[in-house]
Amino acid sequence: MPVPVLYIRSRALPLTAVALAGIVLVAAGAAHWLETRPYFDHTARIPVVVLAPLLASAAIGTSLHAPSDELDRTGVRRWWPRRLLHLLVLTVLTTGALALVVPGHPEAFGGPAMVRNALGATGVAVASAALIGARLSWLPMTVYGGAIYLAAPRTPGGAAAVWAWTMQPGPQAGAWAVALTAYAVGAVLLAVRGARPEGA
């Protein structure tokens, strides 16, 4: 059996793809429902723009679990290209699909904010997989995202663009800087270390 097929099966990528497709469909339904509500404006999309990337990042992070980590580390071929390809393919497909979920108002809580949050949340989940293990990679971003959702100020910008980046409208440069940095750090940690080995 070819190595890519073994890799795909060992990481349960078909199941991850189904989970991501389900997240995108639910997010699309929720965004459409919100748009049909009376007195709708772009801020009503905030739950979708925050929650959908959080769920997608959890699926991507847990897909990094390696059931035979000892065998992977003793392999002749280097694993970092496969890890990065794994991450990049899932990231591109997920961010592209989620960007289409919230059309209109791109300057506020539309596609750009969704893409930014998906990149940042995925970066945090991937870094968590490298540091604490893939099975718990969803936990840090979930705790952080929930706290920010409750504590973020209503007015965007300022210092909140950095510490509450998930709750910012699309064009906030500080929020983009934090999200892109999180993604880059997560990708580097994944390439260098892989997911942290876990017990049985």
Side-chain angles (χ1 to χ4, degrees), residues 138-181:
W138 56 272
L139 185 58
M141 189 61 209
T142 300
V143 172
Y144 176 77
I148 294 306
Y149 188 80
L150 296 174
R154 293 182 180 269
T155 305
V162 174
W163 66 267
W165 55 272
T166 60
M167 297 290 292
Q168 301 297 305
Q172 290 291 333
W176 272 98
V178 172
L180 292 175
T181 301

Side-chain angles (χ1 to χ4, degrees), residues 47-89:
V48 176
V49 171
V50 172
L51 188 57
L54 180 64
L55 294 173
S57 71
I60 293 172
T62 54
S63 75
L64 299 171
H65 174 68
S68 57
D69 183 77
E70 310 81 22
L71 294 176
D72 291 351
R73 293 183 187 278
T74 58
V76 176
R77 295 183 181 179
R78 294 178 297 176
W79 281 92
W80 72 263
R82 287 182 184 85
R83 293 185 198 124
L84 279 185
L85 183 62
H86 175 162
L87 174 63
L88 292 175
V89 168

Side-chain angles (χ1 to χ4, degrees), residues 105-132:
H105 299 291
E107 73 285 354
F109 291 98
M114 184 73 92
V115 169
R116 180 203 64 219
N117 285 356
L119 288 174
T122 300
V124 173
V126 170
S128 301
L131 297 174
I132 64 174

Side-chain angles (χ1 to χ4, degrees), residues 12-35:
L13 288 180
L15 184 59
T16 302
V18 169
L20 290 171
I23 291 165
V24 169
L25 290 174
V26 170
H32 176 72
W33 180 80
L34 287 170
E35 288 181 12

